[in-house]
Amino acid sequence: MPLQNKKENLSEWYEEVIMKSQIADYSPVKGCIVYLPYGYAIWENIKNEFKKYLEDVQEVYFPLFIPKSILEKEAEHFKGFKPEVAWVTKAGDSELEEPLAVRPTSETIIYSYVSKIIHSWRDLPLKIIQWCNVVRMETKATKPFLRAREFLWHEGHTFHKSFEEAEEEARKRILQYKDFVENFLAIPVIVGRKSEAEKFAGAHTTYTIEALMPDGKALQCGTSHNLADNFSKVFEIKFQDKDEKHKYVFQTSWGFSTRLIGAIIMVHGDDLGLIIPPKIAPIQVVIIPIYYNEDEKNVVFKKCLEMKEKLKKFRVHFDDREEYTPGYKFNDWELRGVPIRIEIGKKEVEEKIVTIFRRDLRKREIVKEEELERRIEKLIEEIHNELFNKAKSFLESKIKIAKSFEEFKKFIEEGNFVVADHCGKIECEEKIKEETKATCRVIEFNNEEPLTGRCIYCNEKAKYKAYFAKSY
Ligand SMILES: [Zn+2]
């Protein structure tokens, strides 16, 4: 059964391709999915590659439950998360003395602890991270990976002597996210800061990377917050500085989640299924034997195993299932988005060659056996670049500059990433959202100078230009 047409029915295509390629499945709980081995392996690869950026950060784990009194300590933060918090109020039949929140994020539980371990300037900077799950009880329609009630993520938390140091850290992390998402997931993003209306509840400044999905909706792919001393004042996180004075620490927090898997599927897939970026693909190369009788099978299998061994530095799978035809296997692995396929039959064995098929361009090439390893290595780069450049041209084609609110509305309706001047007022942004469903996604680094100097909506003096779009 062919898939839905991606361009015409993106939403249906998206859910269908997830199920058919066995990335994930629905569960009995709304907004919570089952991560199947193939989907979970993508997350594991993302984790393992990103951990290489984190040599200066220590891994920790904090409790899933947060006592109500701790969660509500920072008022702005609590207000922001309150509508989505899941509460545990009973143990068996007996009421708990204090309700426990299932963590929507861990700032409060971590900071209530850290206040006990930071005493001196010598304890700083402190940089910790936890890889865990969080729960946010979405009330809107949920969608696997993109709008989930439970998702997997990491949250980094750092503690510094000064505002400037925290600021530098927050920017460093968002630039790492950009680097990672572009260089491993092949998804181009716009990096910058959030408007006052869109920043993280309790943050001084929020930085973000935003990608654009094929339907013209923006997807926030990672955020990093300079929390300044907003939380340390509430949680009494102080240190004695070199001048012997007691001072509040300055903090950051930052994270990305399994949403990235949704972004990979949406951005790169086509009407035949997934296209997984090669650097994080659970299977980078699949080997398919082609034979017509038992004698051929023996020779071909032997060669396949030999090639598998030769390519062991890559993630290789030899599809030795005998109950399926090569044609079936071709379709199956194309649906599941394996970037490179190797076909080995009698001809290949005799001529000491292999046939390579690349998923992204659906093109075949013949390679000599002895050149195979080097070719695969190069091909991984080529496929990555092809995917990235394709997504980048799409993003660029969707960036539209609006000079009037009429034009703004039209561009948003057509599914674009619209650049416009804004006054920076929260009320003004809310009105834009009411009228167009679009929000301010990002004020780009080093590119915020207003175009005309007047707010696109209220015509007051513009503070900056920003990217607006509907979003997931
Ligand atoms: Zn305005």
Side-chain angles (χ1 to χ4, degrees):
M1 269 271 289
L3 289 167
Q4 299 269 350
N5 183 293
K6 186 186 176 194
K7 208 166 188 172
E8 284 164 23
N9 305 308
L10 181 69
S11 185
E12 293 79 5
W13 172 90
Y14 177 76
E15 301 209 13
E16 197 183 2
V17 79
I18 287 173
M19 302 304 146
K20 284 194 171 165
S21 61
Q22 296 166 50
I23 290 272
D25 209 342
Y26 299 113
S27 84
V29 187
K30 176 183 150 75
C32 300
I33 51 167
V34 181
Y35 289 71
L36 296 172
Y38 193 58
Y40 197 76
I42 296 176
W43 182 237
E44 283 294 300
N45 290 340
I46 288 175
K47 268 167 83 169
N48 292 335
E49 291 298 346
F50 190 67
K51 280 183 181 183
K52 293 174 189 164
Y53 290 73
L54 299 173
E55 279 168 1
D56 56 339
V57 188
Q58 290 176 295
E59 285 194 39
V60 292
Y61 184 78
F62 278 77
L64 170 67
F65 299 124
I66 306 177
K68 183 165 184 273
S69 57
I70 289 180
L71 186 64
E72 65 190 11
K73 238 175 169 171
E74 209 291 328
E76 275 300 305
H77 181 72
F78 186 60
K79 205 175 110 201
F81 281 98
K82 204 177 163 194
E84 297 180 350
V85 173
W87 292 101
V88 179
T89 56
K90 275 183 169 182
D93 285 333
S94 45
E95 293 282 332
L96 295 181
E97 253 174 61
E98 181 178 9
L100 297 172
V102 180
R103 66 176 160 232
T105 178
S106 305
E107 277 75 8
T108 55
I109 185 91
I110 293 179
Y111 304 164
S112 69
Y113 170 76
V114 164
S115 63
K116 293 179 203 159
I117 61 163
I118 292 178
H119 306 289
S120 148
W121 60 270
R122 291 176 199 88
D123 301 325
L124 299 173
L126 175 67
K127 302 185 184 187
I128 53 178
I129 187 171
Q130 69 174 359
W131 294 85
C132 62
N133 61 338
V134 283
V135 169
R136 296 179 188 173
M137 300 299 278
E138 279 289 345
T139 48
K140 288 187 224 164
T142 58
K143 209 170 193 48
F145 301 114
L146 298 177
R147 209 166 240 300
R149 285 183 155 183
E150 180 189 19
F151 51 88
L152 308 177
W153 78 345
H154 69 244
E155 44 181 314
H157 297 271
T158 68
F159 306 82
H160 307 269
K161 286 196 285 288
S162 65
F163 179 88
E164 291 71 28
E165 226 184 83
E167 176 64 16
E168 193 186 318
E169 177 79 14
R171 282 179 176 251
K172 169 179 159 179
R173 298 303 168 188
I174 205 67
L175 291 172
Q176 285 182 337
Y177 287 168
K178 175 180 160 69
D179 191 77
F180 176 73
V181 169
E182 294 192 337
N183 290 318
F184 287 84
L185 312 185
I187 299 173
V189 294
I190 294 170
V191 63
R193 66 185 164 96
K194 287 284 189 191
S195 65
E196 281 301 302
E198 292 290 322
K199 74 179 187 188
F200 179 71
H204 175 278
T205 314
T206 289
Y207 297 110
T208 182
I209 50 169
E210 301 278 326
L212 197 68
M213 299 299 108
D215 54 0
K217 283 189 189 166
L219 187 76
Q220 181 180 301
C221 289
T223 51
S224 172
H225 318 292
N226 178 350
L227 305 174
D229 53 3
N230 295 351
F231 283 83
S232 65
K233 281 182 171 159
V234 176
F235 288 93
E236 284 293 315
I237 315 176
K238 284 184 186 171
F239 70 103
Q240 190 172 30
D241 208 348
K242 284 179 184 167
D243 59 11
E244 311 240 305
K245 286 190 180 133
H246 291 268
K247 298 174 184 171
Y248 289 110
V249 302
F250 290 83
Q251 295 171 242
T252 77
S253 68
W254 28 275
F256 69 57
S257 74
T258 36
R259 248 192 170 192
L260 291 180
I261 298 176
I264 290 169
I265 296 167
M266 279 241 167
V267 169
H268 300 307
D270 65 15
D271 287 350
L272 297 172
L274 302 172
I275 300 177
I276 315 258
K279 293 185 197 175
I280 50 92
I283 299 172
Q284 295 173 304
V285 182
V286 63
I287 301 176
I288 308 219
I290 299 162
Y291 54 89
Y292 299 95
N293 57 53
E294 205 55 26
D295 288 344
E296 272 183 34
K297 186 190 137 189
N298 291 335
V299 189
V300 167
F301 264 45
K302 191 166 159 265
K303 181 59 74 182
C304 288
L305 288 167
E306 206 181 290
M307 290 302 120
K308 189 184 171 192
E309 178 61 24
K310 201 175 178 137
L311 297 175
K312 67 179 173 204
K313 71 183 229 198
F314 306 103
R315 293 185 286 274
V316 183
H317 175 70
F318 171 36
D319 188 349
D320 60 358
R321 293 177 294 177
E322 292 184 32
E323 64 274 34
Y324 296 114
T325 62
Y328 177 93
K329 292 178 184 177
F330 291 173
N331 292 335
D332 192 29
W333 293 114
E334 282 179 51
L335 168 69
R336 304 186 81 190
V338 172
I340 300 165
R341 174 171 91 216
I342 289 179
E343 304 165 8
I344 297 176
K346 194 166 154 254
K347 176 171 177 269
E348 279 81 5
V349 175
E350 280 167 5
E351 295 176 24
K352 289 189 186 308
I353 53 167
V354 288
T355 299
I356 295 182
F357 173 89
R358 57 189 277 187
R359 172 65 181 88
D360 61 329
L361 299 177
R362 307 195 70 246
K363 275 189 185 156
R364 278 193 174 82
E365 64 179 281
I366 309 277
V367 179
K368 285 185 195 148
E369 256 177 36
E370 71 262 26
E371 284 163 16
L372 182 61
E373 188 186 335
R374 218 165 355 122
R375 182 64 194 124
I376 298 289
E377 197 154 7
K378 225 172 137 238
L379 201 49
I380 285 176
E381 284 305 321
E382 285 173 22
I383 295 173
H384 173 87
N385 292 339
E386 176 71 28
L387 292 177
F388 180 78
N389 291 336
K390 196 172 158 215
K392 179 119 178 146
S393 336
F394 173 77
L395 171 66
E396 280 165 2
S397 75
K398 288 294 213 175
I399 295 174
K400 300 270 193 268
I401 294 170
K403 297 265 169 54
S404 69
F405 193 59
E406 281 315 302
E407 215 177 35
F408 182 95
K409 282 195 285 193
K410 177 174 152 276
F411 287 151
I412 292 287
E413 222 25 69
E414 291 165 359
N416 293 298
F417 221 160
V418 184
V419 179
D421 285 352
H422 196 258
C423 63
K425 295 206 176 88
I426 294 178
E427 318 81 71
C428 179
E429 234 183 276
E430 275 166 3
K431 291 210 178 98
I432 293 177
K433 190 178 178 181
E434 263 170 44
E435 284 189 36
T436 66
K437 294 201 182 87
T439 50
C440 175
R441 305 309 308 164
V442 54
I443 305 155
E444 193 175 17
F445 278 163
N446 308 320
N447 186 25
E448 55 178 73
E449 200 54 34
L451 298 153
T452 64
R454 292 281 148 198
C455 174
I456 193 81
Y457 185 78
C458 70
N459 207 37
E460 282 183 33
K461 191 170 184 314
K463 255 190 170 162
Y464 46 72
K465 71 166 180 276
Y467 288 75
F468 290 80
K470 292 183 194 173
S471 69
Y472 278 97

